[in-house]
């Protein structure tokens, strides 16, 4: 059995071998099982995550231990990550449950405050030997679609200053990406990504993975992105697979429905693992 993996270990291998690790948002056991099935079948590392805004539907005290147990039982290296942490209370709860990394999202705050709060959460995570991700600039939209946050692209110089002030293990950048389904094809600012990666020594993170074209993903990976967050695409794939299974007469009871949910999460994870160059990279 593999040990529960740390974000920094997974991302450092991804950086040295030029691929990105998929960070898949999950909302229930079926999604966890679907992602881990894909991970095992492709011999890949992975991250499973849940964002603080999603805890209304999936309480942390219930889904958190499930995620940690599933990762511990996987034969592949799997990190368990708390996504878009907003409050110290919930971040601490995730760390107590055994999450191996947390993100503090202070991207909407003034620069100094974002630095101060992120450094504080990084110090807290270190007490648990856990890693910390921060965000500089503003990724568009919000994780649950409840807010229409405008995109504010990362300034590479500010990203460097942010890294120096906080010591984060991974840094989320805003390069024209946004959460949820894109209304128009996103035009990613590869120039900003290239410049940021040349200044900041830690792996960079791309949020808002749903709807980004495969070639754009590959280009991002070649320029310094080593963690890619995927949420909406998983939820959509689960919903679509369930709907098509009903339409195809494949569901005649609860456990067929459950199997379709697992399948939906599995298919989506398989697709992204291949694009990210992550297949076969488990160590
Ligand atoms: P999407 O919902 O666009 O895939 O974004 C996921 C994300 O960035 C979670 O933090």
């Amino acid at each position: 059995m593999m040990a529960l993996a740390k974000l920094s270990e997974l991302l450092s291998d991804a950086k040295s071998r030029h691929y990105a690790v998929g960070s898949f948002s999950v909302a229930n056991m079926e999604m966890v099982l679907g992602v881990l099935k894909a991970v095992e079948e492709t011999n890949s590392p992975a991250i499973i995550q849940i964002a603080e805004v999603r805890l209304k539907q999936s309480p942390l005290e219930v889904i958190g231990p499930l995620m940690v147990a599933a990762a511990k039982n996987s034969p592949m290296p799997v990190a368990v990550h708390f996504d878009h942490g907003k409050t110290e209370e919930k971040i601490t709860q995730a760390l107590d449950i055994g999450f191996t990394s947390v993100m503090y999202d202070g991207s909407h705050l003034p620069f100094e405050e974002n630095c101060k709060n992120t450094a504080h959460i990084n110090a807290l995570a270190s007490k648990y030997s856990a890693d910390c991700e921060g965000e500089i600039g503003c990724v568009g939209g919000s994780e649950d679609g409840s807010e229409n946050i405008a995109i504010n692209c990362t300034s590479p110089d500010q990203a460097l200053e942010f890294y120096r002030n906080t010591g984060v293990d991974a840094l989320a950048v805003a390069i024209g990406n946004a959460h949820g389904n894109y209304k128009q094809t996103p035009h990613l600012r590869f120039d900003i990504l290239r410049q940021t990666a040349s200044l900041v020594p830690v792996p960079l993170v791309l949020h808002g993975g749903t709807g980004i074209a495969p070639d754009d993903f590959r280009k991002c990976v070649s320029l310094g992105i080593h963690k890619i967050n995927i949420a909406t695409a998983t939820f959509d794939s689960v919903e679509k697979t369930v709907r098509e299974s009903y339409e195809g007469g494949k569901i005649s009871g609860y456990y067929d429905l459950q199997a379709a949910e697992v399948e939906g999460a599995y298919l989506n994870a398989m697709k992204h693992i291949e694009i990210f160059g992550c297949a076969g990279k488990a160590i």
Side-chain angles (χ1 to χ4, degrees):
M1 193 167 74
M2 288 265 180
L4 191 57
K6 279 192 75 174
L7 183 81
S8 51
E9 290 161 6
L10 297 188
L11 299 192
S12 125
D13 186 68
K15 192 170 177 172
S16 65
R17 293 201 283 161
H18 316 291
Y19 65 94
V21 184
S23 198
F24 297 100
S25 296
V26 291
N28 61 13
M29 182 183 76
E30 288 70 21
M31 293 187 202
V32 172
L33 295 179
V35 170
L36 294 188
K37 183 175 168 218
V39 161
E40 200 172 330
E41 225 171 271
T42 53
N43 200 36
S44 309
I47 302 155
I48 51 174
Q49 63 180 15
I50 187 159
E52 185 160 339
V53 284
R54 293 293 183 188
L55 302 180
K56 302 187 280 295
Q57 293 98 349
S58 313
L60 189 55
E61 55 278 19
V62 179
I63 195 157
L66 187 156
M67 290 165 71
V68 172
K72 277 187 182 161
N73 278 290
S74 172
M76 298 294 121
V78 179
V80 181
H81 179 72
F82 193 58
D83 189 30
H84 291 285
K86 300 269 185 198
T87 64
E88 187 165 343
E89 183 206 339
K90 286 294 165 191
I91 291 172
T92 306
Q93 192 185 350
L95 290 166
D96 281 335
I97 289 170
F99 280 48
T100 51
S101 55
V102 292
M103 176 201 186
Y104 175 73
D105 181 359
S107 58
H108 54 292
L109 298 172
F111 180 73
E112 285 73 24
E113 211 177 328
N114 187 8
C115 284
K116 185 167 135 266
N117 295 359
T118 307
H120 173 70
I121 296 297
N122 192 15
L124 174 69
S126 299
K127 290 190 192 146
Y128 291 80
S129 296
D131 296 321
C132 180
E133 173 185 331
E135 177 174 322
I136 190 73
C138 250
V139 171
S142 69
E143 219 281 333
D144 65 348
S146 63
E147 285 179 275
N148 193 16
I149 297 167
I151 297 171
N152 176 17
C153 284
T154 303
S155 138
D157 291 336
Q158 219 177 37
L160 176 61
E161 204 182 331
F162 181 82
Y163 166 71
R164 286 187 175 144
N165 285 328
T166 60
V168 285
D169 302 284
L171 181 60
V173 291
I175 53 167
N177 46 323
H179 294 106
N181 285 306
Y182 290 91
K183 292 184 188 79
Q184 289 134 12
T185 311
H187 293 289
L188 299 181
R189 291 287 306 270
F190 296 114
D191 55 330
I192 293 181
L193 176 57
R194 183 182 283 112
Q195 230 187 319
T196 307
S198 73
L199 296 172
V200 177
V202 288
L204 302 179
V205 180
L206 185 73
H207 282 241
T210 299
I212 291 180
D215 280 349
D216 282 357
F217 274 137
R218 290 186 195 102
K219 186 150 187 192
C220 283
V221 174
S222 75
L223 294 175
I225 293 288
H226 297 294
K227 170 177 182 275
I228 302 179
N229 287 12
I230 301 288
T232 309
T234 306
F235 307 140
D236 288 353
S237 176
V238 168
E239 201 254 323
K240 178 170 175 273
T241 310
V242 166
R243 187 162 22 84
E244 287 176 356
S245 300
Y246 271 116
E247 286 164 4
K250 290 193 198 142
I251 297 183
S252 60
Y254 172 72
Y255 288 102
D256 295 335
L257 165 63
Q258 192 197 36
E261 281 198 52
V262 173
E263 179 76 2
Y266 161 82
L267 291 172
N268 176 65
M270 286 295 277
K271 178 176 116 184
H272 287 97
I273 285 168
E274 292 299 336
I275 297 170
F276 300 165
C278 192
K281 299 294 198 307
I283 39 169

